[in-house]
Amino acid sequence: MSLFFQIVGGLRNSAFRAPLFSGLLLGVAFPSYPSVRLEVLAWVALVPLLLSLGDVRRAGDFFRKVYAAMLLYCFIALWWVSLATFPGGVLTILAQAFFLTVPFMLFFALRRMAGFSFALFSLPFVQVGWEWLYMEQELSLGWLTFGNSQALLTPMVQYADMTGVWGVSFWLYAFNALVVAALYAPKGRRLRYLVPLPVMVLLPLLYGARVIGADGAAPGNSVRISLVQPNLNPVEKWEQLGAFGTLVLHSRMTADVVEREHPDLVIWPETALSFPILEPGYRDYYRFLRHSAGLWDTTLLSGFTDIVRLPAGGVLPSGGPGQQDPLTGMMEESYNATLLLSSRNDSVQVYRKAHLVPFAERVPYSGQLPWLERLNFSLTGAGSWGQGPGATLMTMQTVDKESVVLANIICYESIFPGYVAGFVRQGAGLLTLVTNDGWYGTSYGPWQHLAIGRFRCIENRRAMARCANTGVSAFIDRFGRVGAELSWWEKGTLSGDVPLEKELSFYSRWPDLLPKASLLMTAALFAFAFRRRFSQRP
């Protein structure tokens, strides 16, 4: 720790070196490739930046320093987005850096009104409140929630079952603030800030050891699941295989795994059927799939494209503008969706994705302002997807006629803690996730996505079956540990027994309690600082 103090102390008087050093630490601490494990750097990553801000008086200078740090952070953590859409990737990095800068400007306001020490105390509340508030609106990417940096450090983040990822963010911000306070304090008063630091490291480890060590109960019921990873390039899939070729490829892989593993459930990835198979024009394709499911004697969960059509003037389910069919004059809207069909009945259950990637899948607020649709960077070229109604459960039966309730999550939705908790609170016994991360080549984007999803298992104490088009397909247990996986750009299938859970964690019962309390605390801190500032005026 003393060596770190000396390094950052030498950077303190630099204009941009210290902020950029923080940006570098933040970026490399965020999950990347599995072999790169630098998440511990997040515990001190903000220290150089905060030290460099201590004496900055002008708001413009303050903003430029913070934005420089956040811009480098976002570039290192999110550069891979540009592999799918270069304009969208640049916009993502620039916008995300701005939104990460906003809470620091609130920190600046508190420092001006009540002093640096008061602002440091307020930092965890301001940051966590803002992280949650930002994620609650359509423009949010929400990927760089600070706590996500610790996703691979599973022994230390088990307390997320009480606080969600927000508690991990709070802990990190508080640790960084204490280190800065120790550096700023006179030598005789540093001990009061240094003593809590090892305790803050030890407490999460003790809780994690207790929770994981107590998991000695006999396993309950489980579902045998097979994941199908076809390893298709999403850009070339349609041109090379077409609708029927894609369906046949998935069906052949399923037939092989069903014969070996006899699963209760087979999962195909997001947009495995990149066409509206439930539409009358694809009736023969649907009959083929239904017949195949009967031969497999199992339940199938697959990503597909869903379409809703209404007469001109009708209100589409998402409230969005949709598109008008030039031939029929009807309004229509496409959805990134999943379907669940069983060999045991004729019903089809459909879930439509509700949280859509800003600009890539849906232009934020285009439902209210249709002209914004011109800003779309859709990867499919089809414009904005429709927005689903929210958390909707799916129900299936095992071979033994046991009823199982699924929380099916589509891709990007896995980064939303409260949304996933909503499925569990409604009765989901396990989590399933379908995704297509093939847009991002051989970058570490897919590995980041996998890492962040592990938090949802910890928060809700639910196992997850994750099926990806090009990887990473995996089974994750209730502690966020990956049990088995199919690596990226690998064609294959993976089978396993996924346990069912019934108990609700504290977080599942009361999600987002901490960030909401942080918002209230932030408001109280601002009121106190405002009163303190203006009560001192003559």
Side-chain angles (χ1 to χ4, degrees):
M1 182 65 74
S2 60
L3 177 60
F4 179 79
F5 285 177
Q6 294 173 17
I7 293 173
V8 297
L11 294 172
R12 184 172 174 178
N13 295 322
S14 171
F16 282 95
R17 196 177 305 163
L20 291 176
F21 185 42
S22 273
L24 175 64
L25 293 177
L26 288 166
V28 299
F30 210 75
S32 58
Y33 297 110
S35 58
V36 180
R37 299 296 304 273
L38 299 174
E39 56 268 27
V40 68
L41 295 178
W43 291 68
V44 291
L46 292 173
V47 173
L49 173 63
L50 292 171
L51 286 174
S52 73
L53 298 175
D55 299 324
V56 179
R57 300 302 173 192
R58 298 172 58 183
D61 294 337
F62 193 97
F63 177 86
R64 282 187 287 272
K65 283 193 170 189
V66 176
Y67 189 75
M70 297 303 113
L71 193 61
L72 181 58
Y73 172 27
C74 292
F75 176 77
I76 295 172
L78 297 175
W79 65 268
W80 48 268
V81 177
S82 62
L83 296 178
T85 163
F86 184 77
V90 172
L91 176 64
T92 295
I93 292 170
L94 294 176
Q96 184 72 6
F98 171 78
F99 287 117
L100 289 174
T101 302
V102 170
F104 283 96
M105 298 310 296
L106 299 178
F107 173 88
F108 175 76
L110 286 169
R111 196 205 69 182
R112 289 282 297 268
M113 290 189 289
F116 190 65
S117 296
F118 183 88
L120 278 179
F121 171 79
S122 306
L123 181 70
F125 301 101
V126 173
Q127 290 281 359
V128 171
W130 171 257
E131 281 186 347
W132 178 80
L133 196 63
Y134 169 55
M135 189 173 278
E136 288 299 298
Q137 46 81 39
E138 287 188 33
L139 195 60
S140 163
L141 179 67
W143 198 269
L144 297 185
T145 298
F146 199 21
N148 285 342
S149 65
Q150 308 299 291
L152 300 180
L153 207 59
T154 49
M156 288 196 70
V157 296
Q158 295 301 315
Y159 62 96
D161 66 351
M162 297 184 292
T163 67
V165 69
W166 314 114
V168 182
S169 288
F170 190 94
W171 210 249
L172 291 175
Y173 286 122
F175 194 94
N176 276 270
L178 279 173
V179 173
V180 174
L183 286 169
Y184 257 87
K187 287 187 178 181
R189 299 176 61 186
R190 281 186 178 178
L191 195 60
R192 68 173 66 180
Y193 301 110
L194 293 175
V195 168
L197 298 181
V199 177
M200 291 184 70
V201 175
L202 186 61
L203 284 179
L205 284 172
L206 290 176
Y207 182 79
R210 184 182 71 82
V211 170
I212 296 175
D215 188 47
N221 295 335
S222 63
V223 180
R224 185 144 187 87
I225 299 177
S226 292
L227 311 176
V228 174
Q229 182 170 295
N231 193 33
L232 294 175
N233 187 315
V235 179
E236 301 173 357
K237 177 172 68 173
W238 190 262
E239 289 83 356
Q240 291 183 352
L241 290 177
F244 189 68
T246 303
L247 176 59
V248 169
L249 172 63
H250 286 84
S251 298
R252 285 176 176 170
M253 294 180 68
T254 301
D256 290 340
V257 74
V258 164
E259 185 176 355
R260 297 193 313 271
E261 303 291 345
H262 307 289
D264 299 302
L265 174 66
V266 173
I267 305 180
W268 294 357
E270 179 186 18
T271 61
L273 305 173
S274 53
F275 56 92
I277 194 170
L278 299 183
E279 287 290 290
Y282 291 93
R283 185 176 292 110
D284 290 340
Y285 291 40
Y286 177 73
R287 288 173 178 167
F288 173 84
L289 185 62
R290 173 63 73 181
H291 176 70
S292 298
L295 295 176
W296 301 330
D297 190 27
T298 190
T299 300
L300 173 68
L301 172 66
S302 175
F304 84 114
T305 300
D306 192 25
I307 292 182
V308 170
R309 291 187 173 90
L310 293 173
V315 179
L316 292 164
S318 72
Q323 296 178 343
Q324 188 170 33
D325 189 319
L327 297 178
T328 64
M330 298 188 73
M331 298 301 299
E332 62 181 38
E333 192 164 51
S334 298
Y335 295 85
N336 187 349
T338 54
L339 60 81
L340 185 80
L341 59 86
S342 172
S343 61
R344 299 173 183 87
N345 57 62
D346 295 329
S347 65
V348 179
Q349 300 173 57
V350 173
Y351 168 72
R352 296 168 181 159
K353 188 175 182 181
H355 284 282
L356 300 158
V357 182
F359 298 101
E361 291 187 312
R362 182 178 177 84
V363 177
Y365 307 109
S366 59
Q368 295 79 20
L369 301 170
W371 59 269
L372 288 174
E373 185 59 31
R374 287 176 290 184
L375 301 176
N376 185 275
F377 295 115
S378 172
L379 302 180
T380 63
S384 288
W385 292 101
Q387 194 168 25
T392 307
L393 300 178
M394 291 178 163
T395 304
M396 58 163 284
Q397 282 191 335
T398 66
V399 175
D400 298 327
K401 307 299 182 183
E402 180 184 357
S403 181
V404 176
V405 180
L406 306 177
N408 181 236
I409 307 154
I410 302 178
C411 190
Y412 173 67
E413 292 181 320
S414 65
I415 75 166
F416 293 89
Y419 186 70
V420 175
F423 285 96
V424 176
R425 201 162 52 253
Q426 292 180 54
L430 64 91
L431 308 178
T432 63
L433 172 66
V434 297
T435 187
N436 181 8
D437 295 331
W439 305 102
Y440 308 111
T442 55
S443 72
Y444 46 68
W447 294 106
Q448 269 186 15
H449 192 193
L450 171 66
I452 293 171
R454 292 164 65 167
F455 258 116
R456 308 295 84 84
C457 298
I458 298 171
E459 289 164 346
N460 299 287
R461 294 305 179 200
R462 293 293 186 271
M464 176 188 288
R466 185 184 198 271
C467 184
N469 172 36
T470 53
V472 181
S473 297
F475 293 111
I476 307 171
D477 72 7
R478 62 199 300 266
F479 302 109
R481 301 173 300 191
V482 175
E485 68 180 42
L486 281 170
S487 194
W488 58 3
W489 299 98
E490 176 183 329
K491 180 180 178 181
T493 59
L494 186 68
S495 298
D497 294 315
V498 180
L500 299 172
E501 306 283 349
K502 293 182 179 179
E503 294 297 321
L504 294 180
S505 68
F506 184 91
Y507 182 79
S508 297
R509 293 178 186 273
W510 294 285
D512 304 338
L513 191 62
L514 176 60
K516 292 175 182 177
S518 294
L519 277 178
L520 292 174
M521 186 65 176
T522 299
L525 290 167
F526 264 93
F528 178 84
F530 185 83
R531 181 180 178 183
R532 177 177 174 180
R533 173 66 180 268
F534 290 97
S535 66
Q536 294 175 352
R537 288 190 172 184

